[in-house]
Amino acid sequence: MTPFTARVIAVIQSIPEGKIMTYGGVARAAGSPRAARQVVRILHSMSRKYKLPWHRVVNAKGRIALEDESGSLQKLYLLGEGIEFTADGAVNLELFQFVPAPDPELADYLLPPLE
């Protein structure tokens, strides 16, 4: 397992119940801001093995990216944790997004905060 993969797993495991992160937010917190697609691959291949709360990761618009039964299941899980969806089916990122505390070991890799 690569160090990035291990960090992604740790970040996803740290998302508390009732909060979500975006794929890009997970990548940024793991030290590689442009690796959102890699986060998708890691979630797809390792969620069961590491018992990841995969349902707490959504796209940059706050939407569920899955369009099959898994997407319906993801929405049910999130609703069960108290996450609310807007009329157009998105999660309000300002209200429900989890932003982990910066990891000092990754400080050289992270982008400055958006203003």
Side-chain angles (χ1 to χ4, degrees):
M1 176 183 311
T2 68
F4 176 72
T5 298
R7 290 191 303 263
V8 166
I9 289 170
V11 169
I12 294 169
Q13 288 173 332
S14 76
I15 305 170
E17 186 174 319
K19 293 290 184 179
I20 53 100
M21 287 185 77
T22 64
Y23 298 106
V26 172
R28 193 170 25 262
S32 189
R34 298 182 58 142
R37 288 186 183 190
Q38 186 62 24
V39 171
V40 173
R41 288 187 203 96
I42 292 167
L43 274 168
H44 179 74
S45 64
M46 299 188 169
S47 286
R48 280 195 182 141
K49 182 176 182 178
Y50 292 94
K51 298 179 180 164
L52 299 177
W54 60 271
H55 61 284
R56 296 182 186 145
V57 185
V58 297
N59 72 18
K61 295 180 181 178
R63 297 183 175 280
I64 292 173
L66 304 168
E67 295 183 6
D68 57 5
E69 289 179 27
S70 295
S72 297
L73 185 61
Q74 183 176 10
K75 186 172 185 176
L76 284 173
Y77 285 164
L78 293 175
L79 287 169
E81 293 186 5
I83 292 179
E84 300 168 2
F85 288 81
T86 61
D88 67 347
V91 174
N92 181 335
L93 295 175
E94 289 184 23
L95 188 59
F96 293 103
Q97 188 167 22
F98 174 65
V99 179
D103 184 341
E105 292 182 22
L106 301 177
D108 293 337
Y109 300 100
L110 300 177
L111 293 174
L114 297 175
E115 296 180 11

